[in-house]
Amino acid sequence: MGRKSNNIDKTLKNLSLNKEAPKSAFILLLLLFGIAHFLVLKSSTTPGAIFIFGMPVAYSAFAGVFSTLSNVCILCLVMLFRKPGYIISLFLLLVQFPMMIVNVFVRGNMASLPGFFSTIMIIGVISIIYFSNRKILNYQQRIREQAVTDRITGLPNRFACGELVSDLHRHNEDFAIVSIDLNNFKSINDTMGHDTGDLVLTEVAKRWRNLADSGNTGTTDFVARNSGDEFMIVISNYGSASDIEKTINAYKTELEKKITIDDCDYYLTACFGYIIYPDDTDNVDNLYIYADAALHEVKETGSGSRILRFTPGLLNNEKFLDIERKLRSAISGNKIFFHLQPQFDMDHNLRGFEALARMTDDDGAFISPADFIPVAEKTGLVDRIDLRIFELAVDFIEKVTKETGSDITMSINISVRHLMKNTFMEDIRKILETHDVSPERIEIEITESIMIDSAEKALQRIDEIKALGLRVAIDDFGTGYSSLSYLNSFPSDILKIDKSFIDRMSLSSSSRQYVAMIISLGHILDLKVISEGVESTEQVEVLKKIGCDFVQGYVWGRPMPPEEAGKLVSSDN
Ligand code: C2E
Ligand code: CA
Ligand code: CA
């Protein structure tokens, strides 16, 4: 009942009712009272006796025992069920009076007189208990309300949220927990003072409470304030996950409407992280942590819809910190090294290599760049890796071309984050100046995602790279939002078709045609095309037929240490 209510106060009230004695106890006590009362009447009017341990005991002697039992039931009703217990007890006691009065005063049956007085006494006792308890209960109620209510906004607090979540869980209901953090709220506190900050929070709370109570979101929502500028919503009674997103959007829209306090206008925004139980996890104890993980992720990335659903990938914090620690120690100990993966033309002649960063664990095991590069990007360490690999790769090519006279190319990965830094051009210029390598041998690989993120600055950077005489490859082509117009204005030299497209070629002719289309597109734009992750000779044959220029993949060469790569160059010459 309460759980289906859209009203936050009602839900809170129902939650506290849950803590009271169950209704079944009420009925049981009434039943017991009825039986005891019946036995009082029966025993007092039944003549004769029963024998206990050989002694005769009159039936009427049991009336007192049963009467005490019925009084105990009455006391229990008042103490356990307060007002309803008191009213029903009073009723049950008062209805006995007419009978007693007739018995004593009309029929002159003096045996009913003690019962008459004991009923009056018990009415007195339960009234004293009820009225003195009421004071204490009211006080307790106030304390309980304070324990579940946030002082500033009047919303339920985190504890209340926890109570509701336990209740929903007990009733096997599905629900979502939304963790919310207002953006830049600190600046309101800092510039306008904490009193204004509190008024803004109260206004937000009021709007959200009204929205929850109105039921307009179509779901049952319970809004609570967590602490500071953090709020939570528990959403239940939804049809599908998209209903939850719709509800969150409704709260977002409500928040983003102008707030005016003391003639000042405030425009608030917030980030929302949420988790759906039990769809996203069956671990009910960690729901807040998981919703917070989604919230922190969406706060950190800072862009997009500002609403994020939890995924287990967000929990890799420990692994992340572990890799970060190892990465820092590898960088400071100069222990980042590289392997080179050969690239060939379609006749299996060596074209060059891609330099790939490598790093090992304390016990010598390789850590995959797929694991440490994302950590390096998030922690800003990727520049140092890129530059280290750049330097090692340029060293290598300088050495082998001097030794063998070969004209191989060297592809070097540069992270978008690094590329966008103002120091980037200076960094690579310095390395090139100290090496005797012709720049057109060096190819900078930039992932396609750059075209969406900050196209203009990226284009300018690429022009600068080209002005140095270096070449540019578009890496992982096809995985992002490849746009023809970008591709057209992107001054690159080569397209690298992502492995996922090469993998799919064997599945259908349309997948093959798709790769063929990318290759033709590249050629129309005057670009060379290289296929990545080629693992079989069948793939090589297909690629040859559809006009691919180069291949890179395990079929003709895995990434290898530079010494081995040096030998490959010598033998190719
Ligand atoms: P990527 O640039 O797409 O590099 C190609 C990846 O595919 C390499 O993985 C390579 O070993 C792998 N690969 C090549 N051929 C095959 C194949 O036939 N089958 C399979 N299964 N895999 C193949 P790796 O070395 O683990 O590198 C992973 C990613 O790490 C790279 O993907 C690149 O994005 C990043 N990375 C590596 N080194 C650097 C670096 O120095 N700087 C930056 N910023 N990123 C780097
Ligand atoms: Ca690459
Ligand atoms: Ca790639």
Side-chain angles (χ1 to χ4, degrees):
M1 29 144 220
R3 278 168 283 109
K4 304 271 186 267
S5 162
N6 268 318
N7 187 292
I8 291 180
D9 281 336
K10 259 194 208 156
T11 310
L12 264 184
K13 197 158 167 274
N14 285 323
L15 277 175
S16 71
L17 279 181
N18 282 340
K19 304 284 172 293
E20 292 184 352
K23 279 203 183 80
S24 51
F26 191 84
I27 295 167
L28 193 73
L29 283 171
L30 280 181
L31 207 68
L32 259 177
F33 173 83
I35 294 170
H37 195 68
F38 169 77
L39 291 174
V40 170
L41 294 177
K42 193 78 188 149
S43 54
S44 58
T45 53
T46 306
I50 57 165
F51 286 86
I52 298 174
F53 302 121
M55 298 274 288
V57 181
Y59 283 116
S60 57
F62 288 97
V65 177
F66 295 128
S67 149
T68 308
L69 186 64
S70 72
N71 287 343
V72 168
C73 291
I74 291 288
L75 286 176
C76 286
L77 275 172
V78 178
M79 289 201 288
L80 291 180
F81 296 95
R82 292 164 208 153
K83 198 170 182 181
Y86 176 67
I87 290 172
I88 196 97
S89 301
L90 210 55
F91 172 76
L92 290 172
L93 294 169
L94 288 176
V95 288
Q96 298 174 32
F97 269 114
M99 268 291 260
M100 288 178 183
I101 289 169
V102 170
N103 268 343
V104 176
F105 297 106
V106 181
R107 295 190 190 144
N109 180 358
M110 287 305 149
S112 292
L113 205 57
F116 180 73
F117 286 119
S118 93
T119 305
I120 290 180
M121 253 169 61
I122 194 87
I123 288 176
V125 169
I126 62 167
S127 299
I128 291 171
I129 292 179
Y130 172 67
F131 286 105
S132 57
N133 258 9
R134 209 167 68 157
K135 258 192 190 162
I136 300 170
L137 286 173
N138 283 345
Y139 182 65
Q140 281 177 342
Q141 177 70 20
R142 268 216 318 279
I143 301 232
R144 205 169 27 224
E145 271 168 22
Q146 276 169 16
V148 295
T149 312
D150 168 56
R151 202 175 42 83
I152 292 177
T153 61
L155 277 180
N157 60 15
R158 189 182 177 114
F159 173 72
C161 231
E163 293 291 289
L164 175 64
V165 165
S166 312
D167 188 58
L168 290 166
H169 182 231
R170 239 195 332 271
H171 290 88
N172 285 328
E173 284 193 37
D174 294 357
F175 59 92
I177 291 192
V178 191
S179 197
I180 308 166
D181 194 311
L182 303 183
N183 297 326
N184 300 322
F185 183 75
K186 195 176 168 293
S187 67
I188 298 182
N189 266 343
D190 290 349
T191 53
M192 307 304 289
H194 283 260
D195 289 345
T196 307
D198 287 354
L199 288 176
V200 172
L201 288 177
T202 310
E203 175 62 23
V204 171
K206 194 176 106 198
R207 287 184 185 186
W208 280 352
R209 176 192 279 268
N210 287 343
L211 181 60
D213 288 349
S214 73
N216 288 345
T217 56
T219 51
T220 301
D221 318 331
F222 184 84
V223 185
R225 177 168 176 234
N226 191 0
S227 64
D229 58 348
E230 292 169 21
F231 292 82
M232 332 193 64
I233 310 175
V234 180
I235 301 174
S236 53
N237 292 315
Y238 52 87
S240 66
S242 69
D243 293 347
I244 294 170
E245 186 121 351
K246 251 188 244 156
T247 294
I248 299 174
N249 263 309
Y251 284 88
K252 183 171 174 279
T253 310
E254 195 61 30
L255 173 77
E256 289 172 1
K257 289 178 191 161
K258 184 175 78 179
I259 293 178
T260 307
I261 285 164
D262 290 339
D263 287 336
C264 276
D265 293 342
Y266 300 91
Y267 295 90
L268 294 189
T269 57
C271 288
F272 302 75
Y274 70 102
I275 180 157
I276 304 180
Y277 178 84
D279 296 12
D280 296 341
T281 178
D282 53 8
N283 184 344
V284 78
D285 297 328
N286 282 342
L287 290 173
Y288 297 118
I289 298 174
Y290 293 174
D292 280 351
L295 172 66
H296 287 143
E297 177 68 17
V298 75
K299 261 202 118 81
E300 230 171 66
T301 47
S303 60
S305 78
R306 294 205 171 113
I307 299 174
L308 186 73
R309 180 172 172 179
F310 169 80
T311 50
L314 298 174
L315 286 182
N316 284 338
N317 205 22
E318 249 167 62
K319 193 176 162 205
F320 185 99
L321 292 175
D322 185 46
I323 292 179
E324 182 184 351
R325 187 180 53 77
K326 288 174 178 157
L327 201 55
R328 286 189 191 277
S329 110
I331 291 173
S332 60
N334 239 358
K335 286 195 208 126
I336 300 283
F337 58 104
F338 73 136
H339 276 178
L340 293 166
Q341 185 175 26
Q343 301 173 337
F344 299 91
D345 70 12
M346 301 316 287
D347 296 322
H348 207 159
N349 300 311
L350 186 69
R351 168 187 189 248
F353 296 92
E354 175 177 5
L356 295 158
R358 293 291 179 262
M359 165 185 155
T360 55
D361 221 330
D362 301 335
D363 51 14
F366 277 97
I367 301 176
S368 164
D371 287 332
F372 72 77
I373 293 289
V375 177
E377 288 190 325
K378 279 199 174 161
T379 49
L381 293 168
V382 78
D383 315 11
R384 297 174 64 183
I385 297 176
D386 283 355
L387 283 179
R388 167 107 182 113
I389 303 302
F390 195 92
E391 185 152 29
L392 289 170
V394 175
D395 266 350
F396 175 87
I397 199 165
E398 180 184 31
K399 202 164 137 260
V400 293
T401 45
K402 263 189 195 150
E403 281 172 12
T404 64
S406 154
D407 58 354
I408 53 161
T409 57
M410 178 60 72
S411 305
I412 302 166
N413 294 284
I414 296 294
S415 148
V416 174
R417 278 202 169 196
H418 184 199
L419 182 83
M420 292 304 185
K421 280 211 169 156
N422 295 331
T423 51
F424 173 75
M425 290 311 297
E426 196 47 43
D427 288 343
I428 59 166
R429 207 175 281 130
K430 265 191 213 152
I431 296 174
L432 290 172
E433 272 166 15
T434 53
H435 290 83
D436 182 18
V437 174
S438 77
E440 71 272 13
R441 297 278 178 78
I442 296 172
E443 203 164 74
I444 303 280
E445 292 197 3
I446 300 165
T447 58
E448 191 200 16
S449 61
I450 196 173
M451 295 204 240
I452 341 146
D453 288 348
S454 27
E456 229 158 84
K457 189 164 178 198
L459 285 179
Q460 182 198 332
R461 217 8 81 76
I462 286 163
D463 281 336
E464 288 173 281
I465 294 173
K466 303 258 333 178
L468 280 183
L470 303 172
R471 301 213 286 192
V472 173
I474 300 181
D475 203 357
D476 305 332
F477 187 77
T479 54
Y481 301 87
S482 325
S483 147
L484 202 57
S485 65
Y486 270 133
L487 201 57
N488 200 12
S489 54
F490 213 77
S492 54
D493 302 277
I494 186 160
L495 276 189
K496 292 192 88 170
I497 304 181
D498 191 68
K499 179 175 187 296
S500 54
F501 296 99
I502 308 301
D503 289 344
R504 265 179 259 150
M505 282 199 317
S506 60
L507 300 178
S508 66
S509 73
S510 66
S511 303
R512 278 193 295 281
Q513 278 164 12
Y514 191 74
V515 175
M517 191 201 73
I518 297 178
I519 294 171
S520 321
L521 183 70
H523 288 166
I524 292 168
L525 296 170
D526 209 18
L527 305 174
K528 293 285 184 200
V529 180
I530 180 166
S531 297
E532 249 190 312
V534 182
E535 292 182 342
S536 70
T537 44
E538 290 78 30
Q539 288 171 332
V540 176
E541 286 313 311
V542 175
L543 290 167
K544 224 185 227 182
K545 262 191 219 143
I546 56 181
C548 184
D549 301 296
F550 305 108
V551 291
Q552 175 182 344
Y554 291 178
V555 63
W556 282 343
R558 291 185 176 240
M560 56 186 81
E563 305 77 48
E564 223 175 285
K567 283 184 205 150
L568 187 67
V569 181
S570 308
S571 66
D572 192 71
N573 265 338

